[in-house]
Amino acid sequence: MPTRVYLDWNATTPLRPEARAAMVAAYDLVGNPSSVHAEGREARRLVEEARAALAAAVGALPRNVIFTSAGTEANALALSPGLRGPSGGPVERLLVSAVEHASVLAGGRFPPDRIGLIRVTRSGVVDLEDLKAELKDGPPALVSIMAANNETGALQPVAEAASVAHRAGGLLHVDAIQVLGKIPFDINKVGADLATFSAHKIGGPKGVGALVMAEGIVGLEPVLRGGGQELSRRAGTENVAGVAGFGAAVKAALQALPEDVKRMATLRNRLENGLRGVARVTVFSDDVERLSNTLLFTAPDLKAETAVIGFDLEGIAVSSGSACSSGKVQPSHVLSAMGYDPAVAQGAVRLSLGWSTGPEDINRALEAWRKLGNTLLKG
């Protein structure tokens, strides 16, 4: 049987060899990283090397990197009332874009009546004028905007949003989980006050994330209380092997970034053109800057779940733009926020590429699409 083709990299990525090697070595260590003896110090060394690697990759100081169990926990930790920067009062409300990940839309520890939504354009980009209007009246706010959307790949104006938020006395949190290793990201150049990351999106293990803060941010209240790990900001013994794998994946991803971006853009564009050659395809956010690896599309009468199953039977892993909750299919909240009809949103299929995607993978995907088009699309 032919090798399967994996085109769902935005959901998760294969484990990089560098990360696997770092984790295997870490599993042989016995020490607790909080212990002062030699075994503990060796475990601590791995954690701190990974912390330094992530900090260097995003322009932060190692002491401002907090390891968590996942990107979701990192987002929940970041969305904390009472945060404040070097100047200005503590944030008392939260503003999030309408296309954020569910873990951000949940609002962290802000009460529901202190959470507001920021509109996006038809192209899926945050409406900065709406953000300005939301910030105009009321107490200081924490603004949360993702660097790139996980469904459409649309890049968001986070640097501009940071300026807007700061002028209003607020702070900016950036969910940067989808951009690490795909585009350069520097917390200081962007102007973000907090940013969150996840290991398994860049070839690290599942179950490890991080919150990174700019220098001078105070008032962060831990979600998990107990021991004094992570400078008392996140209790619980660190996942040494997972953290080591995260650090190794960061180094590998950053080293390969320039070449990977060019290669994936070429492959993604060929894939997009091939899809259009078979049917009247709509590609979402194709009129704005997107991640070079991401393609969300639909076609008339296409049902996403049927398409995903069809691709799977052809040996190709893709995902649906619809989210499934309790067995009931719901239209993508991202496409709904962009103003698309639920029927259109339910037909969205996402193809996302990664560092090992090659021309033959694109050929296989287009071959499957030509075959599926005859049965999935009316007329």
Side-chain angles (χ1 to χ4, degrees):
M1 294 182 63
T3 303
R4 285 182 61 84
V5 174
Y6 187 71
L7 295 178
D8 197 18
W9 291 70
N10 282 11
T12 194
T13 62
L15 192 65
R16 290 181 184 268
E18 298 89 345
R20 184 186 301 274
M23 294 174 69
V24 169
Y27 280 128
D28 287 334
L29 298 181
V30 67
N32 185 313
S34 294
S35 298
V36 298
H37 48 58
E39 290 82 356
R41 294 197 303 272
E42 183 63 13
R44 172 57 55 190
R45 179 183 64 81
L46 294 187
V47 171
E48 296 311 317
E49 286 180 354
R51 196 188 311 278
L54 179 56
V58 300
L61 294 176
R63 65 172 177 252
N64 292 327
V65 175
I66 307 166
F67 288 117
T68 66
S69 66
T72 289
E73 186 196 334
N75 283 335
L77 179 59
L79 305 183
S80 178
L83 285 168
R84 60 185 184 277
S87 60
V91 296
E92 300 178 30
R93 56 189 177 125
L94 174 67
L95 296 175
V96 302
S97 89
V99 295
E100 295 300 309
H101 187 270
S103 61
V104 171
L105 290 172
R109 286 165 286 176
F110 284 87
D113 63 348
R114 305 299 288 173
I115 302 172
L117 282 182
I118 311 162
R119 291 196 299 265
V120 298
T121 67
R122 180 78 169 181
S123 300
V125 176
V126 168
D127 186 336
L128 292 175
E129 293 304 314
D130 189 55
L131 173 60
K132 292 175 184 177
E134 291 287 343
L135 288 169
K136 188 175 182 181
D137 298 313
L142 174 63
V143 177
S144 183
I145 297 175
M146 56 181 20
N149 187 261
N150 52 304
E151 292 189 23
T152 66
L155 299 182
Q156 302 297 330
V158 288
E160 294 86 345
S163 297
V164 172
H166 293 159
R167 285 197 299 269
L171 301 175
L172 178 73
H173 161 248
V174 176
D175 178 344
I177 288 171
Q178 285 294 340
V179 301
L180 187 61
K182 297 174 186 174
I183 62 173
F185 181 87
D186 186 299
I187 192 170
N188 295 307
K189 292 180 180 178
V190 168
D193 300 290
L194 309 101
T196 41
F197 304 91
S198 180
H200 76 102
K201 303 294 187 179
I202 61 166
K206 300 174 182 67
V208 185
L211 167 62
V212 178
M213 299 190 297
E215 185 71 355
I217 300 300
V218 296
L220 183 74
E221 288 292 330
V223 174
L224 300 179
R225 298 178 183 274
Q229 294 89 350
E230 300 299 294
L231 295 179
S232 297
R233 297 171 300 192
R234 196 274 186 184
T237 300
E238 291 90 347
N239 175 2
V240 177
V243 168
F246 194 176
V250 167
K251 293 178 181 178
L254 269 289
Q255 184 176 4
L257 188 151
E259 183 59 34
D260 277 350
V261 169
K262 295 178 184 177
R263 183 180 52 79
M264 287 192 292
T266 299
L267 293 175
R268 194 275 308 273
N269 292 340
R270 186 159 74 83
L271 177 59
E272 187 172 311
N273 291 334
L275 293 174
R276 294 184 190 276
V278 174
R280 184 160 53 88
V281 164
T282 297
V283 176
F284 299 100
S285 298
D286 64 344
D287 58 340
V288 295
E289 191 174 3
R290 289 176 288 161
L291 291 173
S292 63
N293 80 313
T294 305
L295 168 61
L296 182 69
F297 80 98
T298 190
D301 301 310
L302 183 66
K303 297 300 180 185
E305 288 69 38
T306 306
V308 170
I309 293 170
F311 273 111
D312 190 43
L313 292 174
E314 294 295 323
I316 299 164
V318 303
S319 65
S320 168
S322 299
C324 197
S325 177
S326 301
K328 184 176 181 180
V329 174
Q330 302 289 342
S332 161
H333 75 279
V334 172
L335 296 181
S336 296
M338 291 165 63
Y340 285 95
D341 185 90
V344 175
Q346 287 180 333
V349 176
R350 185 185 68 188
L351 310 177
S352 50
L353 290 56
W355 64 81
S356 67
T357 306
E360 182 55 35
D361 297 322
I362 304 304
N363 293 341
R364 289 268 306 278
L366 291 176
E367 179 183 352
W369 174 240
R370 284 189 287 269
K371 183 185 299 185
L372 292 170
N374 293 327
T375 57
L376 297 180
L377 306 176
K378 296 178 182 179

